[in-house]
Amino acid sequence: MKESRKTTLLQLQLSLPVRIIITLLVMAVLIAFVYFCKIPNPNMILIAGLVLCSALFGFGGGITSSVIMLGYTLFFFSTDNSFIHFNTENMQKVAVSLIGIVADMLFVCFLKKAEVQAFERVEALTDDLHKENELLQQLSQTDALTGIRNRMALRRDYDSYQGTEVVVMMLDLNNFKMINDTRGHEEGDRILKETGALLSDTFGSEHCYRYGGDEFLIIIPDTKIELFEEKLNVINKSKPAVDDNLAAEFSIGYVHAFLDDSGTLRNLIAQADMKMYEAKKNK
């Protein structure tokens, strides 16, 4: 959006020499037209060039076109086109033209300056809005407690797993309700946070999701099952401690398959979930 705005006629971004050259060409064409066509009041035509160049190029084009227009006015109204000698009537016309040229140039250029400032403010506000939207989107897809991805992020990531061989794992904290009931929700929240951090550090934050209250989902694409099981041993040895005599316990279920569509991933999650509950049931 920023680049397209800079290329509009409302805000041409050109160097000062280029602006001056274009202004000279525009005014030269108009002067040639009024001169060879013997226009009786050339300023009516030249003022169009003044307004155009001021609007396109701001003070760079406005001052250049004003000087050119003033020079041609002196030439046109001077006696024998001498630039020096004027009768009383023509001197009045030159004075009025000078005032009109300067007033028109300043008016258009200040409008141009205000327009550019308005564009810059809109651009800054738009950039801020994009940043806020990105932050809100990130927050909406991040679990507030554990800091890992949530189910909304999972829906977004579905397509990224297609066409890959994945390991899908479901993990559940055993007796989590008992921890909350006997040691308080603050302790339960700590266990959830540490579990999320453990999974994120072991498998990578981009593959970890908080699936439910005390359930976590891991989806790892393009990995060898042997490497995954090595990491599984790591988390089993690094469970968060509830107190000096007790560590949290996990129930885990996982499947390994190739994904050919999003429906397959849903089925794999269901299968991993079923295996997890079998593991919980069988302790």
Side-chain angles (χ1 to χ4, degrees):
M1 181 180 294
K2 185 175 180 180
E3 291 301 321
S4 63
R5 186 179 301 134
K6 285 185 176 181
T7 59
T8 64
L9 290 178
L10 294 176
Q11 195 175 2
L12 287 176
Q13 299 294 305
L14 301 173
S15 64
L16 182 59
V18 174
R19 299 182 192 186
I20 293 175
I21 291 173
I22 295 177
T23 300
L24 289 172
L25 292 174
V26 170
M27 296 306 293
V29 170
L30 292 177
I31 287 173
F33 173 75
V34 299
Y35 179 79
F36 290 110
C37 294
K38 301 185 183 302
I39 303 298
N41 190 355
N43 281 355
M44 297 298 294
I45 304 297
L46 297 181
I47 197 70
L50 171 69
V51 171
L52 176 65
C53 293
S54 298
L56 290 179
F57 307 126
F59 283 100
I63 293 174
T64 302
S65 56
S66 295
V67 171
I68 295 173
M69 188 173 174
L70 178 59
Y72 188 79
T73 299
L74 293 174
F75 166 80
F76 185 80
F77 288 111
S78 62
T79 304
D80 297 326
N81 303 130
S82 63
F83 287 98
I84 300 174
H85 301 291
F86 302 87
N87 58 38
T88 303
E89 181 182 359
N90 284 349
M91 181 58 74
Q92 292 175 345
K93 292 180 180 180
V94 170
V96 171
S97 297
L98 174 61
I99 294 172
I101 291 169
V102 174
D104 287 341
M105 183 270 293
L106 291 176
F107 177 72
V108 176
C109 286
F110 276 115
L111 282 180
K112 175 64 179 179
K113 183 178 179 180
E115 177 200 50
V116 171
Q117 291 174 340
F119 266 113
E120 290 174 348
R121 286 195 295 271
V122 170
E123 189 174 77
L125 290 173
T126 302
D127 289 342
D128 290 342
L129 182 61
H130 284 323
K131 291 177 182 178
E132 290 293 332
N133 286 338
E134 289 174 0
L135 178 60
L136 288 174
Q137 185 176 20
Q138 181 179 358
L139 291 175
S140 70
Q141 297 176 355
T142 302
D143 178 62
L145 179 62
T146 63
I148 63 176
R149 299 182 180 188
N150 58 20
R151 293 184 73 160
M152 183 176 292
L154 174 62
R155 288 193 292 271
R156 178 203 63 188
D157 295 342
Y158 259 99
D159 291 340
S160 66
Y161 293 115
Q162 302 311 307
T164 62
E165 192 169 353
V166 298
V167 174
V168 177
M169 181 183 89
M170 290 292 294
L171 179 146
D172 177 80
L173 282 162
N174 294 338
N175 301 321
F176 182 70
K177 184 177 185 302
M178 183 188 70
I179 295 175
N180 277 334
D181 292 342
T182 60
R183 291 172 172 81
H185 288 278
E186 184 175 347
E187 180 68 5
D189 288 348
R190 182 187 67 80
I191 296 298
L192 288 173
K193 290 179 183 178
E194 292 188 11
T195 301
L198 173 62
L199 295 175
S200 180
D201 292 341
T202 305
F203 296 106
S205 59
E206 69 275 18
H207 304 311
C208 300
Y209 306 86
R210 187 179 178 190
Y211 197 71
D214 60 342
E215 290 185 352
F216 295 84
L217 171 67
I218 314 297
I219 305 176
I220 309 177
D222 299 322
T223 186
K224 293 182 179 180
I225 193 66
E226 295 81 10
L227 178 60
F228 165 77
E229 290 176 343
E230 288 178 8
K231 292 182 177 181
L232 201 57
N233 290 329
V234 171
I235 66 169
N236 278 322
K237 294 177 181 178
S238 307
K239 299 168 185 175
V242 179
D243 55 34
D244 292 339
N245 300 316
L246 180 65
E249 293 295 332
F250 298 151
S251 291
I252 294 172
Y254 65 90
V255 291
H256 179 220
F258 180 81
L259 288 182
D260 51 9
D261 58 48
S262 58
T264 303
L265 179 56
R266 293 185 181 90
N267 291 335
L268 291 181
I269 293 174
Q271 291 175 32
D273 192 53
M274 185 180 301
K275 288 178 178 291
M276 178 195 72
Y277 277 106
E278 289 176 359
K280 179 185 286 287
K281 180 180 178 180
N282 296 326
K283 299 183 179 180

